[in-house]
Amino acid sequence: MASNKKIFTDSGIEIKELYTEPVNRDEMPGAFPFTRGVQPDMYRGRLWTMRQYAGFSTAEESNQRYHYLLSQGVSGLSVAFDLPTQIGYDSDHPLADGEVGKVGVAIDSLEDMEILFRDIKLDEVTSSMTINASGFILLALYIALAKKQGADLKKISGTIQNDILKEYAARGTYIYPPKASMRIITDIFEWCAKEVPKWNTISISGYHIREAGSTAVQEIAFTLSNGKAYVKAALEKGLDINVFGKRLSFFFNAHNNLFEEVAKFRAARRMWAQIMKSLGATDDKAMMLRFHTQTGGSTLTAQQPYNNISRVTVQTLAAVLGGTQSLHTNGFDEALSLPTEAAAAIALRTQQIVAFESGTPDTVDPLAGSYFIESLTDDVEAAAWKLVEKIDAMGGSVEAIEQGFIQDEIAKSAYEYQRTIEKGEKIIVGLNKFQLEEITNIPVFKVDEKVQTLQIEKLKTLKAKRDNNKVKVCLQTLNKIASGNQNLMPAVLEAVENYCTLGEISDELRKVFGEYK
């Protein structure tokens, strides 16, 4: 006898007790609309890139962690920056006090970048940098270092996150007002197409939208709407959608509801292909949604932290079954501190076990044709289109953010989710059910307070030995170009090559663009 119990995903999609309708689809992987994956052979041809997000303290310490991760089989680096770096302050700025090197590595100048990637050839690794408001400066620092290493810039590959719209909507590390930020982003698109054609110029990020409390449906709807806004801004600048479209990538969250997550990734690919086609893309590669995934940080509990290993495993499977191009798995201890080396190793081994022992990558889109997955993919897509259409009616993402619509929707979902946990309607193992009396003696990772003093000393020494007249000229040039409409990137690159600091460059542009309050 069928039960009358109703079950819904966190996005409010009802899950039926039984799925029987056959879904007639003749879609193929590697072909429009890419529901089943962006490569015809997917992981049989090449596994996803296994990244571990790392960066803390000083460039010296982060460099040691990178060498360790590379020795353990990581195939791409993923750099975390401290808060002052993210919002354009040098380590000696009063607002940086107490935050230097805490949530990522402190980068003040090209000198720090040289240390961060010491003995790592930039044309032999791909680097992903989680940086937004000051992303253009970090990209310039990376390119300046590649030039110093004698690398062929046409071969340099990696990604800067560079997605400012989700900062206004969900995360908060913005510097300049939206219009100035959009100009910087389109300048990056234009400059990279010529100078570093293999570089992914933006990673349009749903990750932080989800971490802020959105549902799976909101995550893809808001992210794809932001993507649409970037594409329109680039088109207005006269850029070719078939060129810059190939260098757009996405960054999504992998949460605990395995099937909804797989459906979300499949629906997102289908939707983006249609969006790009409607905006004028004719090249298949410009319509492909390629994405990096990170397992859900907000799903990790400080209670019974070893349970997080199981959560991360489910999330890893969701990302792989959903066809990710690149994946970072969280350490089980991240609800307590930055991951220790041991936790980072277990997280990487989780990916390697799924890759080499589980059989999951052996065939393309293993869940395709499942009555449940195909129906759920359609349901997620239909619900996401409704939100996209609402945002379009407001005039697009920038307007929806300025009106507070996206922020309010995320806040409502976060509140609702928390309420279901507190009422016991949603079970979180070890948190609101199956609790234990615990004494947690898991070793936590601590960043030494001396880091700030070291960074400030390094800055003092740098400012004393560099050519300060050249610095002055570089900053004046930057101010002049920012006040006009020339591309900013050549002036930023020249400034970092002459050891202007991140804070000096950001401040020069604050004078021209102002700050977003």
Side-chain angles (χ1 to χ4, degrees):
M1 199 178 101
S3 75
N4 293 323
K5 186 180 177 189
K6 281 186 182 281
I7 293 176
F8 296 88
T9 70
D10 293 334
S11 298
I13 293 167
E14 187 176 352
I15 301 298
K16 291 191 282 193
E17 186 170 42
L18 181 66
Y19 288 80
T20 53
E21 303 90 65
V23 175
N24 296 314
R25 276 239 169 78
D26 55 2
E27 291 174 352
M28 293 303 283
F32 183 90
F34 310 106
T35 311
R36 301 192 60 193
V38 292
Q39 301 294 345
D41 59 352
M42 283 306 285
Y43 305 132
R44 282 172 78 115
R46 180 173 168 236
L47 286 172
W48 63 93
T49 302
M50 296 183 199
R51 296 188 183 280
Q52 282 310 101
Y53 188 45
F56 54 89
S57 179
T58 58
E60 286 86 349
E61 280 201 66
S62 290
N63 175 262
Q64 283 173 10
R65 176 69 69 93
Y66 293 157
H67 280 286
Y68 168 74
L69 288 169
L70 289 165
S71 76
Q72 294 300 302
V74 155
S75 47
L77 296 173
S78 196
V79 188
F81 297 96
D82 73 357
L83 210 51
T85 304
Q86 290 180 49
I87 48 180
Y89 294 120
D90 286 335
S91 299
D92 59 359
H93 193 284
L95 289 176
D97 191 29
E99 287 295 338
V100 177
K102 285 284 167 70
V103 298
V105 62
I107 298 291
D108 293 320
S109 70
L110 181 54
E111 197 171 65
D112 286 330
M113 209 65 164
E114 288 161 0
I115 297 162
L116 184 67
F117 289 102
R118 187 183 282 151
D119 299 324
I120 296 170
K121 283 194 161 26
L122 299 191
D123 51 7
E124 289 176 11
V125 294
T126 68
S127 300
S128 167
M129 297 190 277
T130 304
I131 194 79
N132 297 284
S134 56
F136 65 106
I137 305 172
L138 270 301
L139 174 62
L141 288 164
Y142 194 87
I143 300 303
L145 177 59
K147 282 171 74 176
K148 282 192 85 164
Q149 288 185 358
D152 177 355
L153 296 191
K154 300 279 185 273
K155 288 184 183 156
I156 294 288
S157 68
T159 307
I160 38 169
Q161 193 163 94
N162 195 29
D163 172 6
I164 202 67
L165 291 177
K166 67 97 182 34
E167 295 297 330
Y168 303 118
R171 196 162 167 263
T173 65
Y174 40 71
I175 304 175
Y176 313 111
K179 286 194 173 60
S181 295
M182 292 298 270
R183 174 201 165 168
I184 293 169
I185 287 169
T186 54
D187 278 1
I188 291 169
F189 287 1
E190 183 180 51
W191 185 80
C192 286
K194 293 190 198 94
E195 304 296 329
V196 272
K198 283 186 136 181
W199 193 267
N200 295 321
T201 47
I202 194 166
S203 174
I204 305 155
S205 173
Y207 185 84
H208 306 95
I209 289 170
R210 192 67 178 278
E211 288 291 286
S214 84
T215 64
V217 163
Q218 288 171 333
E219 181 188 350
I220 60 168
F222 297 156
T223 306
L224 299 184
S225 289
N226 288 349
K228 210 170 167 179
Y230 294 125
V231 172
K232 285 184 165 175
L235 288 170
E236 277 164 27
K237 203 178 168 108
L239 303 184
D240 182 346
I241 193 167
N242 287 321
V243 176
F244 74 78
K246 293 175 191 168
R247 300 270 53 102
L248 306 176
S249 67
F250 287 80
F251 173 27
F252 291 121
N253 204 308
H255 249 243
N256 286 334
N257 187 324
L258 179 71
F259 299 109
E260 187 180 37
E261 293 301 291
V262 174
K264 175 189 85 178
F265 297 132
R266 297 173 91 246
R269 271 195 296 272
R270 196 151 76 204
M271 291 173 74
W272 185 246
Q274 290 168 42
I275 287 169
M276 287 300 271
K277 196 172 188 176
S278 73
L279 291 170
T282 52
D283 187 321
D284 262 9
K285 283 201 163 77
M287 297 184 235
M288 281 178 186
L289 182 144
R290 295 165 303 119
F291 67 100
H292 168 70
T293 312
Q294 183 174 339
T295 56
S298 62
T299 67
L300 305 179
T301 61
Q303 297 80 3
Q304 301 176 32
Y306 289 115
N307 293 349
N308 294 330
I309 298 173
S310 303
R311 290 186 180 104
V312 169
T313 306
V314 171
Q315 294 162 9
T316 301
L317 275 169
V320 174
L321 289 165
T324 193
Q325 277 58 69
S326 150
L327 178 61
H328 161 78
T329 33
N330 288 335
F332 70 86
D333 55 359
E334 286 189 54
L336 304 167
S337 71
L338 285 169
T340 56
E341 211 161 86
I346 291 170
L348 176 61
R349 294 290 177 257
T350 303
Q351 290 200 52
Q352 290 164 337
I353 289 165
V354 169
F356 300 107
E357 296 183 28
S358 75
T360 312
D362 294 351
T363 187
V364 177
D365 196 13
L367 296 180
S370 143
Y371 299 157
F372 178 35
I373 279 294
E374 295 295 356
S375 297
L376 195 51
T377 301
D378 290 349
D379 291 345
V380 167
E381 182 185 8
W385 276 128
K386 273 186 191 157
L387 275 174
V388 171
E389 282 153 16
K390 241 184 199 174
I391 292 165
D392 284 347
M394 292 178 186
S397 267
V398 177
E399 287 78 3
I401 286 164
E402 283 174 346
Q403 289 174 38
F405 170 73
I406 292 177
Q407 298 91 311
D408 289 349
E409 290 292 301
I410 295 169
K412 277 184 225 161
S413 295
Y415 172 77
E416 195 45 44
Y417 183 77
Q418 191 57 37
R419 198 190 59 77
T420 58
I421 291 170
E422 284 171 18
K423 286 177 79 176
E425 291 164 11
K426 183 167 187 67
I427 291 166
I428 307 291
V429 175
L431 179 71
N432 63 356
K433 202 167 186 180
F434 314 114
Q435 293 112 317
L436 295 171
E437 281 294 318
E438 289 182 82
I439 300 165
T440 304
N441 53 5
I442 287 174
V444 294
F445 184 88
K446 283 227 177 348
V447 173
D448 194 329
E449 296 297 333
K450 289 204 293 278
V451 169
Q452 187 166 332
T453 317
L454 283 170
Q455 279 299 113
I456 292 170
E457 281 309 309
K458 275 201 300 194
L459 268 170
K460 263 189 196 154
T461 310
L462 173 75
K463 286 177 180 178
K465 71 182 181 192
R466 68 186 183 178
D467 183 337
N468 284 302
N469 286 328
K470 263 192 179 158
V471 165
K472 203 172 162 186
V473 172
C474 285
L475 294 174
Q476 282 167 347
T477 305
L478 188 62
N479 188 302
K480 192 177 155 197
I481 286 172
S483 305
N485 53 15
Q486 266 177 282
N487 194 303
L488 277 166
M489 284 305 293
V492 176
L493 183 61
E494 192 181 1
V496 300
E497 287 180 324
N498 284 291
Y499 293 91
C500 294
T501 68
L502 172 117
E504 288 167 336
I505 293 167
S506 300
D507 282 347
E508 202 57 49
L509 295 180
R510 279 183 178 97
K511 289 177 197 169
V512 181
F513 300 142
E515 283 189 89
Y516 181 73
K517 293 281 188 279

